[in-house]
Amino acid sequence: MRIAIIDESRARAAIIEEGLRASGDHEIFLITERLGLARRIEETAPDVILIDLGNPSRDMLEEYFSFSRAVARPIAMFVDQSDEDSIGRAIDAGVSAYVVDGMREDRIKPILDLAIRRFSAFSALERELEEARTALSERQIIDRAKAILMQSQSLNEPEAYTRLRSHAMETNRKIVQVAEALVTAHDLMNPDPKTPGAEEGSKNE
């Protein structure tokens, strides 16, 4: 496993590194500079990121929370002390494990495993949500395309769907792609009079 340790203190980072080496054979990258952090992460491409901040200021916390939002990887963050607001912001930022006063060598491996499990579970939920949104959007497009065919071709709903499916098979496209093309063509040929500028254009004519 490729693991990046982000810590401006080499002494603190050594505790994490020792805990990791005791837990298995890992490829470890130590990053001690905040400058160019995103570039270093991109170069090393770690599987997991462990961040030890000690007693950070609110500005430093917010900087790392912003970094966490942009990096799609399991992240465990260690701080000496915290409050409910910071804990809530850490969760919102996608930090997989936010550990307060927990920097001990024997805890590194369990925390690492927890961060990976939580990240995997959260990623799975995000994928399911996105798939559901996509399915709903596609269903709405197909339903509108069927309505257009039903009105313009005097078809019932099963016939309209069969027409869409047959054309999709003939053109080697997905039904939703055919539906999108039909809806787009219909909107171009039948502009909505409520669309801004449409009424003004009619007057000019």
Side-chain angles (χ1 to χ4, degrees):
M1 186 181 300
R2 296 168 64 85
I3 303 174
I5 302 174
I6 301 174
D7 197 332
E8 294 183 26
S9 168
R10 291 184 176 274
R12 288 199 310 256
I15 298 175
I16 299 178
E17 188 171 359
E18 286 302 314
L20 291 173
R21 297 197 183 283
S23 67
D25 184 18
H26 305 298
E27 191 173 1
I28 300 173
F29 303 90
L30 178 59
I31 302 174
T32 58
E33 297 285 342
R34 277 189 283 169
L35 185 63
L37 180 58
R39 178 180 54 81
R40 289 291 308 277
I41 291 299
E42 184 178 352
E43 290 173 350
T44 56
D47 301 305
V48 186
I49 300 172
L50 303 182
I51 305 174
D52 185 18
L53 299 179
N55 190 20
S57 65
R58 292 183 66 87
D59 288 343
M60 182 185 292
L61 266 180
E62 191 54 47
E63 179 182 338
Y64 276 102
F65 289 158
S66 297
F67 167 77
S68 300
R69 294 185 188 97
V71 180
R73 291 179 176 86
I75 294 177
M77 188 174 291
F78 298 86
V79 294
D80 291 343
Q81 57 186 356
S82 189
D83 53 35
E84 290 186 5
D85 179 58
S86 296
I87 294 172
R89 295 199 337 265
I91 294 171
D92 293 340
V95 177
S96 305
Y98 187 72
V99 185
V100 181
D101 192 25
M103 176 52 67
R104 295 200 313 268
E105 182 178 324
D106 62 327
R107 296 191 66 190
I108 302 301
K109 177 62 164 57
I111 290 170
L112 176 68
D113 293 341
L114 174 64
I116 294 172
R117 287 198 301 270
R118 282 183 175 173
F119 177 80
S120 298
F122 183 73
S123 297
L125 287 175
E126 282 193 322
R127 285 195 300 271
E128 290 175 5
L129 179 59
E130 184 59 31
E131 288 171 0
R133 286 173 176 165
T134 300
L136 177 60
S137 177
E138 291 181 353
R139 173 51 55 193
Q140 291 172 337
I141 292 171
I142 292 172
D143 285 347
R144 186 161 179 229
K146 287 190 298 184
I148 292 171
L149 286 175
M150 290 165 66
Q151 181 178 15
S152 63
Q153 302 294 322
S154 299
L155 303 175
N156 58 35
E157 185 173 354
E159 290 171 338
Y161 183 78
T162 299
R163 182 77 63 86
L164 288 173
R165 185 178 61 184
S166 297
H167 190 69
M169 294 176 64
E170 291 170 1
T171 57
N172 196 28
R173 289 187 294 173
K174 295 180 179 179
I175 293 180
V176 68
Q177 293 174 325
V178 173
E180 285 175 341
L182 176 60
V183 170
T184 300
H186 177 270
D187 289 346
L188 287 173
M189 298 297 293
N190 302 276
D192 186 350
K194 297 180 181 179
T195 301
E199 185 177 347
E200 181 180 348
S202 298
K203 291 179 180 179
N204 291 337
E205 292 176 1

